Amino acid sequence: MKIVIAEKVSPATLAVLRAEADWQILAHDELEKAGGLAASLADADGLIVRSAVQADEALLAAAPRLRVIGRAGVGVDNIDADAATRRGIVVMNTPGANAIAVAELTIGLMLALAREIPRANATMHAGRWEKKSLGGSEVRGKTLGILGLGRIGLEVARRARAFGMQLIGHDPFVAPAVARENEISLVSVEELFRTSDFLTLHVGLTSQTAGIVNASTLATMKPGARIINCARGELIDDAALAAALAAGRIAGAALDVFSSEPLKDSAYFGMDRVLLSPHIAGSTAEAQEAVGIQIAMQVREYLKLGVVQNAVNVPSLTYEEYRELAPFAAMAQKLGSFLAQFAQGTAAQAAPGLEGIELTYYGRLAETKTELVRNSAVEGVLGGALGHTDAVNRINAPGIAAERGIRLHEVAQPGAIGAAGSALRITLHTAGRAVSATGTVLHHSPHRGQAEAEPSARLLSLDGIDIEAPLKGELLTLRNRDVPGVIGRIGTVIGEHGINVANFALGRPDTSDAGGPRLALAVIQVEGGPLEPVLRELSGIEAIAEVHLVRL
């Protein structure tokens, strides 16, 4: 593996990655000697950035092997996530790693506003003793409104509670139990603005939160209220806040983030009741080390194990969730590839009018986060149908399907299917036909000396016929008339060509088609030798309706 670290990070961050044997780690101060960033990315698997490097379409074009971009921080404005997704690159960030730093600055700014500390300091340095005008107010007993109760918002609440403040908050995604544990009363956005003495913002930027502090909401606030923003500058309508401050309706504001950074021209300049800091909330030495170590660990876990954490363009899983779902994701990819090849006869042909992919989850699988399994199944279908798996992976597979007008439909069936506790059925819909296959994962007992056995992907049914077979290696699929002697003839032909049969599975439909002889279905796992002569000879047997080769 090769990891390029494009910006300065702590020695501890480098140590996480350099502990991996045979990994090449290129630090930011080594890039110039290596020919620059673009040249260094030509054979890189991972890229770690902070906020300065622009990971745009042009840079990604120089990185054909790149699999993951890690942002040591929260915002990903400097990363073209759409371009990364199209190229199958995971984009990760580190939300919450700097929560303590941001919470501490928030409390510090609140106290500075309440006690007018900056003005006290400035007048003293100017040789003036203005004790009478610098009384300020206490925060004890005041109402702190917290917009956003994620990691940072909750850390702010815990610290504010120690000051004896009354806590209210709004967050549609927080559990009431979490709010109760932190002694926060959940209220509407309207009540939050109306009753807060201090309002602190800790939400991300969305279409709903952009400009949430505006002329209308400011007009509902208590005269003398104060606002702190250490989240995103775009949350505030600057003209409206500046006007409210100038009119004296809002007593003060402390702003660490701005719509345009660095801040070069602002209506806030010269306002002595406005505290401005240059986006330093998460810039403590401890926080920077924490986000660096966290992103290094996330990149390492993804490249080594495939665990996706804190991704902004694909679903994220905990390590425990990944361990549970990884075998089913691997099975889904194989099942999708198998079915696509079976449906069209050969992986070299283009997909014959594929219109939709339907995924049905059974048992425990239906109750889990199925995005990883879904993406893997679509990857398998498209890789098997399009015949170039390098261009399709579990990151970009849904996007490629959408580009081709292929509809995805998911169904959850919590009940088990047969003896399988969890199973997946994939159905491919074309203009004239639907074909399906069901698979599961078997967990065997480990052999002596093994910590645990490798789970195996198994086919349970194909095209409506129950048939169990391994989903690996080279598989011959045949439809043959259900008459005596056919199975023996198939085995003879395979043996005469020096091919070994590793597994032979046979399934029979319940009824015949249109009153004619039943067509049985066989899936044969074979090993060794060229298979094209076998396919030609088997195709010539009168009782065999069709024969295909599937490679997994």
Side-chain angles (χ1 to χ4, degrees), residues 98-115:
N98 60 0
I100 301 298
V102 178
E104 287 185 356
L105 183 67
T106 298
I107 295 294
L109 291 174
M110 181 177 66
L111 293 173
L113 283 174
R115 298 303 303 269

Side-chain angles (χ1 to χ4, degrees), residues 183-378:
E183 300 179 28
I184 303 169
S185 298
L186 291 178
V187 298
S188 66
V189 172
E190 293 76 16
E191 186 175 350
L192 191 79
F193 276 91
R194 188 172 61 251
T195 58
S196 294
D197 295 301
F198 293 86
L199 174 66
T200 182
L201 310 179
H202 299 291
V203 292
L205 181 64
T206 68
S207 58
Q208 288 77 35
T209 61
I212 194 167
V213 178
N214 53 51
S216 296
T217 53
L218 288 167
T220 68
M221 296 189 73
K222 292 180 179 180
R226 297 173 174 90
I227 297 171
I228 304 103
N229 185 14
C230 292
R232 291 293 297 264
E234 294 88 344
L235 302 176
I236 294 177
D237 180 335
D238 291 318
L241 177 57
L245 288 160
R249 278 196 51 78
I250 299 298
L255 310 174
D256 184 57
V257 288
F258 308 92
S259 299
S260 178
E261 297 180 1
L263 190 65
K264 296 181 179 179
D265 183 30
S266 173
Y268 301 125
F269 289 172
M271 287 188 170
D272 61 4
R273 288 180 294 160
V274 179
L275 308 186
L276 305 176
S277 54
H279 203 151
I280 60 171
S283 296
T284 63
E286 296 89 344
Q288 290 306 298
E289 180 152 312
V291 298
I293 292 172
Q294 181 174 322
I295 199 62
M297 293 174 65
Q298 289 177 196
V299 167
R300 181 191 65 189
E301 294 303 293
Y302 178 68
L303 292 176
K304 286 183 66 176
L305 303 173
V307 180
V308 179
Q309 303 171 72
N310 297 319
V312 301
N313 62 337
V314 291
S316 295
L317 298 171
T318 66
Y319 180 72
E320 290 74 19
E321 289 170 337
Y322 179 82
R323 278 181 60 87
E324 179 181 4
L325 290 174
F328 287 94
M331 179 273 292
Q333 191 275 334
K334 292 179 179 179
L335 185 67
S337 180
F338 174 89
L339 185 59
Q341 294 180 56
F342 171 79
Q344 62 189 7
T346 172
Q349 297 175 358
L354 181 60
E355 295 181 346
I357 302 172
E358 182 177 339
L359 305 168
T360 306
Y361 311 100
Y362 295 95
R364 163 66 183 159
L365 189 60
E367 301 170 353
T368 62
K369 297 178 181 178
T370 56
E371 292 93 341
L372 176 65
V373 176
R374 175 201 65 198
N375 288 13
S376 299
V378 177

Side-chain angles (χ1 to χ4, degrees), residues 81-100:
D82 290 337
T85 303
R86 289 193 299 272
R87 295 177 178 275
I89 301 169
V90 176
V91 179
M92 299 176 175
N93 64 353
T94 54
N98 60 0
I100 301 298

Side-chain angles (χ1 to χ4, degrees), residues 36 58 60 98 134 269 286 356 389 417 442 444 463 489 519 537 545:
L60 298 183
N98 60 0
L134 288 165
F269 289 172
E286 296 89 344
T389 56
I417 180 171
L442 297 184
H444 305 287
D463 212 15
R489 181 68 179 126
L519 287 179
E537 189 166 343

